Amino acid sequence: MTRVTFIERDGTRREVESRPGDRLLDVAQNTDQPLEGTCEGQMACSTCHVIVDPDDFARLPRAVEEEEDMLDLAAGATRYSRLSCQIWLDAIDAITVRIPPEAKNMRGR
């Protein structure tokens, strides 16, 4: 199991467990985080943008060029930004991510 800690827009910390191989976007959506994921993981938008804790960021595989291009369009992007649709929770035991204050889910989830 991977322990995922979401730091919500208001600063509240919420810890959940995920199964090996889960995608961070799916875990977020299943726990009512406001990540829309409009393109359903095809790297055609930045609506699943999260800010990864710096220590955890260093343990993730590097973002591919297409992901970096999408992050250039993300509101509130930082050096530690990633698309949650591109983070697979199979090689780490824990990760902490911040939901950007600009995150909005137009699908009403």
Side-chain angles (χ1 to χ4, degrees), residues 7-23:
I7 302 174
E8 298 178 351
R9 294 179 292 190
D10 65 1
T12 302
R13 295 175 74 87
R14 184 169 179 197
E15 288 189 13
V16 299
E17 296 279 328
S18 72
R19 294 180 309 264
D22 281 352
R23 185 172 61 162

Side-chain angles (χ1 to χ4, degrees), residues 23-30 35-37 41 48 84-85 87:
R23 185 172 61 162
L24 183 59
L25 174 60
D26 298 326
V27 174
Q29 289 178 335
N30 290 335
L35 298 180
E36 191 169 331
C48 69
S84 62
C85 69
I87 298 175

Side-chain angles (χ1 to χ4, degrees), residues 80-98:
Y80 302 106
S81 290
R82 291 294 302 266
L83 298 179
S84 62
C85 69
Q86 298 303 303
I87 298 175
W88 296 91
L89 303 171
D90 52 5
I92 56 175
D93 60 345
I95 188 170
T96 299
V97 297
R98 178 176 298 278

Side-chain angles (χ1 to χ4, degrees), residues 3-109:
R3 186 183 78 246
V4 179
T5 302
F6 292 103
I7 302 174
E8 298 178 351
R9 294 179 292 190
D10 65 1
T12 302
R13 295 175 74 87
R14 184 169 179 197
E15 288 189 13
V16 299
E17 296 279 328
S18 72
R19 294 180 309 264
D22 281 352
R23 185 172 61 162
L24 183 59
L25 174 60
D26 298 326
V27 174
Q29 289 178 335
N30 290 335
T31 57
D32 296 322
Q33 297 300 320
L35 298 180
E36 191 169 331
T38 302
C39 72
E40 299 179 358
Q42 302 301 310
M43 283 193 289
C45 73
S46 60
T47 61
C48 69
H49 163 231
V50 295
I51 301 167
V52 179
D53 178 87
D55 292 332
D56 297 332
F57 186 87
R59 296 186 299 136
L60 296 174
R62 282 184 59 100
V64 297
E65 185 175 345
E66 293 87 351
E67 180 180 357
E68 290 178 355
D69 289 346
M70 284 296 106
L71 288 168
D72 287 342
L73 305 173
T78 74
R79 177 176 188 224
Y80 302 106
S81 290
R82 291 294 302 266
L83 298 179
S84 62
C85 69
Q86 298 303 303
I87 298 175
W88 296 91
L89 303 171
D90 52 5
I92 56 175
D93 60 345
I95 188 170
T96 299
V97 297
R98 178 176 298 278
I99 305 298
E102 300 85 1
K104 292 183 178 44
N105 185 342
M106 302 306 280
R107 291 183 177 180
R109 296 202 315 171

